[in-house]
Amino acid sequence: MKLMGFNLIKINLEKKSNKLKDAKISTSIDVSEVKGIKSDLLKPQESLIGIEFEYIINYEKEIALLNFQGNLLVSLDSKQAEEVLHSWKDKKLPEEFRLTIFNIIFRKASLKALKFEEELNLPPHIPFPSFKPQKTKD
């Protein structure tokens, strides 16, 4: 599978409170549409799949909500594309494909989210590595 394109089409940010103590942060990804895309640019054994998604970061207790909507375009071999489109008729995706897509969405949208979280003075939704003092041997 090759990532051919990733676009955010809607970003909604809302900070409702500055009370960040004990804030619980949850994330969710929802795929709303999967469809085949016609293209003359690919080899005959490849197919394009378009995916529409929503990525939500919720700072619970009505603190903040970051909502990203977008789409991505992936190239698959024709057999795998057929399997994905067939599964999507029941609003399901093959597990390996779903995990790969979710990781792409998470990675790409999280980078944008971190920038907005800093601007809104929100704690990051993913932990950063940090330096700690070394323990000395007595």
Side-chain angles (χ1 to χ4, degrees):
M1 177 171 61
K2 294 181 216 164
L3 178 63
M4 304 299 281
F6 181 92
N7 296 301
L8 292 175
I9 56 174
K10 183 178 179 182
I11 299 173
N12 185 24
L13 313 169
E14 186 175 4
K15 183 175 179 183
K16 301 174 187 178
S17 172
N18 286 318
K19 297 178 182 179
L20 298 174
K21 188 177 179 184
D22 300 325
K24 292 184 181 175
I25 304 169
S26 63
T27 61
S28 65
I29 297 174
D30 181 47
V31 172
S32 58
E33 186 172 352
V34 176
K35 60 185 175 185
I37 306 288
K38 301 261 188 229
S39 174
D40 296 331
L41 301 175
L42 298 175
K43 297 175 186 173
Q45 65 271 22
E46 292 180 310
S47 297
L48 281 178
I49 300 286
I51 300 157
E52 293 182 14
F53 69 88
E54 182 175 33
Y55 176 59
I56 297 171
I57 302 168
N58 184 17
Y59 289 76
E60 294 175 14
K61 297 188 180 177
E62 296 291 320
I63 295 171
L65 183 70
L66 285 71
N67 184 323
F68 300 87
Q69 292 178 13
N71 53 55
L72 55 110
L73 195 60
V74 294
S75 168
L76 302 169
D77 67 65
S78 295
K79 185 178 178 182
Q80 188 180 13
E82 193 175 301
E83 179 186 338
V84 167
L85 293 171
H86 180 72
S87 296
W88 185 249
K89 289 179 183 178
D90 297 327
K91 301 295 183 202
K92 294 181 182 177
L93 294 171
E95 186 70 10
E96 185 178 330
F97 179 79
R98 185 181 66 81
L99 291 175
T100 302
I101 294 302
F102 278 24
N103 282 324
I104 292 169
I105 294 167
F106 181 75
R107 191 174 333 119
K108 296 267 191 189
S110 285
L111 290 174
K112 295 281 187 194
L114 289 169
K115 178 182 180 230
F116 292 123
E117 288 165 341
E118 182 179 355
E119 290 178 13
L120 295 171
N121 291 318
L122 293 168
H125 68 285
I126 53 177
F128 278 103
S130 62
F131 294 100
K132 296 182 181 179
Q134 290 183 348
K135 294 183 180 182
T136 58
K137 296 182 180 179
D138 293 327

